[in-house]
Amino acid sequence: PLAAQEKTRFPVKVHGFLMGNLAVRSSGERPPHGEGGAFVLGEESLRLDVSGASKSGDVFLLFKGEVFHDAVANRAEGDLREGYAGYHRGPIDLRLGRQILTWGAGDLFFINDVFPKDWESFFSGRPMEYLKRGMDAVRVQYSSEALNVDVVATPFFRPDALPSPQRFFLYSPFPAAVRQVERTPAARAANTEVALRLYRRLAGFDVSLYGYRGFWRTPGMRAGSASDAAPVIRFYPRLAVVGAGAQRNWLQGVLSLEAGRYHSLDDRGGADASIPNSEWRVLAGYQRQLGRELTANFQGYAEVLDHYDTYRKSLPGGSPRRDRVRGVFSLRLTQFLRYQSWKAAVFLACSPTDSDCFTQPEVSHRLSDRLSVALGANIFGGRRETTFFGQMEKDDNVYLSARFDF
């Protein structure tokens, strides 16, 4: 009967796009043994997004898959960006599968957003959405007027994707190492990562409390043995994070505050130079519209190391030393023009403690409802090759992308 068919309908929506990305190194330098010479990125990709839900909305699904051809390495690959099934009933929302999550208020500076990032994509000029990596997880959300709860359990560890030394100039504490061996946390119940967020509106603020127990997303490194031919071991130490954040309207803009305490569980006293020290991270941001469709977002961010004296004593002779405090100031300006068909933006980050900086200007234009193009650049600077941005001073690049939606 028609009534029975209506009850079982599960409409599916399909969307996709074709995209081409090209990034050319503008510094004139070439990384030793690098791929592609002057090209940091050259690829064509096909994306397919499929979503659907039952008529009641209780059951839903999402799939975002992509295949792409890497012209620099001349290989074809695929990636499951997201793929999960979900169930929603009353205050409960359950999702199982690969998901992309964003917590916190930082713009490219993350404290309580402990989920994996793809920094190679970002510094290669891919669109901003590719900075976030999907992870295979179970997520449960509970919503109420008194308190909202968000719990994420991830049994399979996924690290940050860092820039490859094949295409980027990067500092290595072991420059003579012939090879590196990566050891990721084993997929067992004891290594399941758990993240928790509690949030509600309080005294005019949107307030959030965070907790996480898992692993550092960036690896520690140590020599496998005293032999010069021994591989360098890349490993991921255990980590626990407790933090808080708050946002509210203030002076015709939005004020953001965030802080987090990083506990390095495998080196609580800071005596192992291969493991990151425990630290505090704090951020203050303010976003405001300055003119017609012109928005500015200013941030101040800092990291403060614990057990600094012990850390200094643990360093091998000749090793670079971090400052106890790393501070970064950033500014993002965004201007829309001609009914938002044009967008001009620039992101600038400078660290007075590291004496380095990063600038990313970009202009994009929507030629039609289906076709858009973007032109931008990644520009690095610094006095030392051991700082976050300074090590990439020779990696300046100009990128171009075109996208056709269907």
Side-chain angles (χ1 to χ4, degrees):
L2 181 61
Q5 293 179 10
E6 287 294 319
K7 288 183 180 179
T8 58
R9 282 184 62 191
F10 198 90
V12 174
K13 297 180 181 179
V14 180
H15 167 257
F17 59 80
L18 288 167
M19 184 167 61
N21 295 298
L22 182 69
V24 182
R25 194 184 309 277
S26 58
S27 64
E29 302 283 350
R30 303 290 184 271
H33 312 295
E35 297 174 330
F39 293 95
V40 175
L41 179 68
E43 68 178 17
E44 306 82 35
S45 62
L46 169 64
R47 170 86 161 265
L48 189 65
D49 296 355
V50 180
S51 61
S54 62
K55 188 174 182 181
S56 65
D58 289 353
V59 180
F60 54 92
L61 61 85
L62 177 70
F63 170 87
K64 293 184 179 181
E66 190 163 7
V67 293
F68 58 91
H69 173 247
D70 183 344
V72 175
N74 193 26
R75 63 173 178 261
E77 296 183 9
D79 182 38
L80 177 61
R81 295 284 298 162
E82 289 189 271
Y84 61 80
Y87 176 78
H88 177 82
R89 175 62 65 91
I92 302 295
D93 186 284
L94 171 66
R95 300 183 185 188
L96 173 63
R98 178 156 294 189
Q99 307 168 52
I100 293 178
L101 301 178
T102 299
W103 288 358
D107 182 4
L108 296 182
F109 294 98
F110 303 101
I111 298 179
N112 295 297
D113 186 333
V114 292
F115 309 118
K117 318 291 188 302
D118 189 337
W119 292 106
E120 175 161 302
S121 287
F122 178 74
F123 290 134
S124 298
R126 289 190 183 97
M128 180 69 75
E129 68 172 290
Y130 288 89
L131 174 60
K132 303 306 292 287
R133 304 187 80 189
M135 58 183 189
D136 303 309
V138 179
R139 182 183 186 187
V140 181
Q141 294 176 282
Y142 170 81
S143 303
S144 71
E145 293 185 4
L147 184 67
N148 302 294
V149 182
D150 199 350
V151 181
V152 180
T154 310
F156 307 105
F157 174 78
R158 200 174 194 199
D160 285 353
L162 301 178
S164 166
Q166 295 295 318
R167 302 192 191 184
F168 291 86
F169 287 91
L170 300 170
Y171 170 76
S172 173
F174 301 99
V178 176
R179 62 190 179 94
Q180 296 184 3
V181 175
E182 186 169 61
R183 295 177 178 172
T184 56
R188 56 174 183 259
N191 287 340
T192 298
E193 304 168 76
V194 179
L196 170 68
R197 178 174 63 148
L198 308 175
Y199 59 102
R200 62 160 295 171
R201 190 158 184 83
L202 184 65
F205 283 88
D206 292 323
V207 178
S208 299
L209 299 177
Y210 302 91
Y212 168 76
R213 188 177 181 90
F215 303 88
W216 291 90
R217 298 285 175 194
T218 55
M221 299 176 66
R222 64 164 61 106
S225 73
S227 171
D228 292 338
V232 171
I233 307 300
R234 292 161 54 97
F235 63 102
Y236 296 87
R238 294 182 302 145
L239 172 69
V241 181
V242 178
Q247 281 188 308
R248 69 164 298 168
N249 295 328
W250 185 59
L251 298 178
Q252 300 180 328
V254 178
L255 174 67
S256 302
L257 303 171
E258 194 169 354
R261 167 68 174 166
Y262 277 52
H263 297 271
S264 196
L265 299 180
D266 288 336
D267 186 27
R268 298 176 186 269
D272 189 339
S274 66
I275 297 176
N277 270 38
S278 298
E279 64 184 31
W280 285 92
R281 296 186 182 184
V282 294
L283 179 142
Y286 182 65
Q287 180 175 314
R288 180 175 177 175
Q289 186 169 337
L290 300 181
R292 184 175 180 180
E293 297 196 273
L294 172 62
T295 304
N297 186 5
F298 175 81
Q299 292 181 137
Y301 169 82
E303 301 170 355
V304 184
L305 285 184
D306 277 359
H307 310 292
Y308 189 66
D309 289 339
T310 305
Y311 158 76
R312 288 192 306 170
K313 294 176 183 177
S314 71
L315 291 175
S319 298
R321 185 179 68 193
R322 284 186 58 181
D323 293 330
R324 181 176 186 179
V325 178
R326 175 181 179 240
V328 187
F329 296 99
S330 71
L331 173 67
R332 183 184 294 278
L333 295 172
T334 306
Q335 174 73 71
F336 288 97
L337 300 165
R338 296 184 64 83
Y339 306 103
Q340 296 193 347
S341 63
W342 285 90
K343 176 184 174 183
V346 61
F347 179 83
L348 172 65
C350 290
S351 171
T353 54
D354 285 352
S355 298
D356 63 3
C357 60
F358 168 68
T359 306
Q360 187 187 71
E362 182 181 280
V363 177
S364 60
H365 178 43
R366 181 170 288 278
L367 297 163
S368 69
D369 290 340
R370 294 179 178 266
L371 182 62
S372 58
V373 294
L375 175 66
N378 293 301
I379 305 168
F380 306 88
R383 294 182 180 179
R384 294 173 287 171
E385 65 174 6
T386 58
T387 61
F388 186 77
F389 297 127
Q391 66 179 320
M392 303 179 71
E393 189 172 21
K394 298 178 182 178
D395 292 314
D396 293 355
N397 61 80
V398 177
Y399 61 85
L400 174 68
S401 68
R403 170 171 161 165
F404 178 79
D405 288 79
F406 59 84

